[in-house]
Amino acid sequence: MNNNNSTITVNNLTKRFGSFIAVDDVSFEVKKGEVFGFLGPNGAGKTTTIRMLCGLLDPDGGSGSVAGFDVKKESEQIKASIGYMSQKFSLYEDLTVFENLDFYAGVYDVDPKIRGMRIGEIIKMAGLVGREGELTSNLALGFKQRLALGGAILHKPPVLFLDEPTSGVDPRSRKNFWKLIYQLAEAGTTVLVTTHYMTEAEFCQKLALMYQGKIIASGTPAEFKNLVPGAADLDEVFVSLVERERK
Ligand SMILES: Nc1ncnc2c1ncn2[C@@H]1O[C@H](COP(=O)(O)OP(=O)(O)OP(=O)(O)O)[C@@H](O)[C@H]1O
Ligand SMILES: [Mg+2]
């Protein structure tokens, strides 16, 4: 295990696709129970970084550890220690609510003795009590989102990666979703979340802003605002920091 209780440690991580550098020498650290916001314009390299940390994509350079495991050498252990909610919610539309969760319980090897109880807890968390037999395709997007989160945390992973979990979801559902994120973090789960909504960035304890494969700023939301004196809000800070890099 790594020391100083940091649950995600990334050092000089790099990923190339041919001659294009999608992730360029990226380093950061996320501590246990922290909600870490990963920001950046489209194509910045956020998803590619997450995929390397989930053990789904081999880095070309640098190193990283997640929940004490090496991203290059221990991808199987990492897969068992994380929850990953991808940018496209990975749900089977033609399965029922219960069947989707039962499927994930199998994938994550949740002990059959506690499987029923755990699925029940998740159905409650998702606000889907009484709708277990409903086809997933019939659910409103906010419910699908909570069901997808439920699938990702059935095995109670210590580290959770959420890639744009709230995109396309209405403000009330987003608010409810963030309540769930907070509950998980308070219970000790480390959360790395990407978002294009600066109102959500405000909810994160730490932020990193990525642009063209590099982290161009990092710190607390308050520290971010200090980087651009006079900026009205995080949206302005974000745009201004990216513009500076463009010059
Ligand atoms: N498998 C791949 N092969 C080639 N290029 C890729 C591949 N995956 C990603 N890229 C490129 O790498 C860059 C970073 O992509 P990535 O998906 O990580 O960005 P992102 O920050 O997640 O963007 P978004 O906010 O749109 O989700 C983009 O230019 C993308 O086209
Ligand atoms: Mg992405």
Side-chain angles (χ1 to χ4, degrees):
M1 293 292 283
N2 51 21
N3 41 30
N4 75 14
N5 89 352
S6 85
T7 317
I8 303 174
T9 310
V10 178
N11 288 308
N12 312 103
L13 206 63
T14 299
K15 181 70 196 174
R16 294 187 198 90
F17 295 113
S19 59
F20 176 74
I21 306 178
V23 176
D24 192 359
D25 208 19
V26 160
S27 302
F28 62 90
E29 210 174 80
V30 188
K31 294 193 166 55
K32 182 176 160 60
E34 199 165 63
V35 179
F36 186 89
F38 212 36
L39 314 175
N42 295 127
K46 305 179 297 292
T47 298
T48 306
T49 303
I50 289 178
R51 289 176 62 80
M52 286 191 277
L53 297 179
C54 291
L56 298 169
L57 195 64
D58 276 334
D60 292 312
S63 61
S65 97
V66 172
F69 298 111
D70 185 304
V71 294
K72 280 187 183 160
K73 299 187 204 121
E74 295 173 307
S75 58
E76 285 313 308
Q77 289 95 320
I78 285 181
K79 283 175 200 160
S81 311
I82 60 154
Y84 173 44
M85 191 170 154
S86 75
Q87 221 166 331
K88 293 199 162 174
F89 305 162
S90 323
L91 294 171
Y92 291 97
E93 296 274 331
D94 55 344
L95 293 186
T96 65
V97 166
F98 178 84
E99 286 166 343
N100 259 303
L101 291 174
D102 198 43
F103 170 78
Y104 274 103
V107 169
Y108 287 128
D109 216 11
V110 175
D111 183 352
K113 277 187 244 140
I114 60 158
R115 207 173 273 194
M117 184 192 72
R118 190 69 190 129
I119 289 176
E121 285 171 6
I122 295 292
I123 284 174
K124 205 167 155 203
M125 177 202 86
L128 287 167
V129 174
R131 300 180 71 186
E132 296 83 348
E134 204 163 318
L135 275 184
T136 300
S137 55
N138 290 343
L139 300 179
L141 196 60
F143 284 105
K144 279 186 191 168
Q145 171 202 43
R146 277 180 273 168
L147 184 60
L149 173 68
I153 61 167
L154 262 172
H155 56 308
K156 297 194 173 178
V159 180
L160 187 56
F161 293 97
L162 305 171
D163 198 357
E164 286 186 45
T166 60
S167 73
V169 177
D170 67 59
R172 187 158 166 264
S173 299
R174 271 162 46 196
K175 208 169 161 194
N176 285 333
F177 191 83
W178 273 88
K179 272 190 197 156
L180 295 177
I181 295 181
Y182 264 98
Q183 283 166 14
L184 290 165
E186 269 162 25
T189 308
T190 303
V191 182
L192 186 149
V193 56
T194 75
T195 180
H196 289 295
Y197 299 110
M198 292 305 117
T199 44
E200 297 186 347
E202 293 270 6
F203 298 149
C204 298
Q205 279 133 2
K206 284 274 280 292
L207 299 170
L209 173 58
M210 206 170 174
Y211 178 60
Q212 293 186 337
K214 288 188 189 320
I215 291 185
I216 60 168
S218 59
T220 64
E223 284 165 348
F224 252 67
K225 285 181 198 150
N226 286 337
L227 292 174
V228 183
D233 53 23
L234 271 182
D235 262 317
E236 255 186 64
V237 173
F238 178 104
V239 171
S240 170
L241 290 173
V242 169
E243 282 301 317
R244 274 187 206 169
E245 285 302 309
R246 237 182 223 137
K247 280 171 192 154

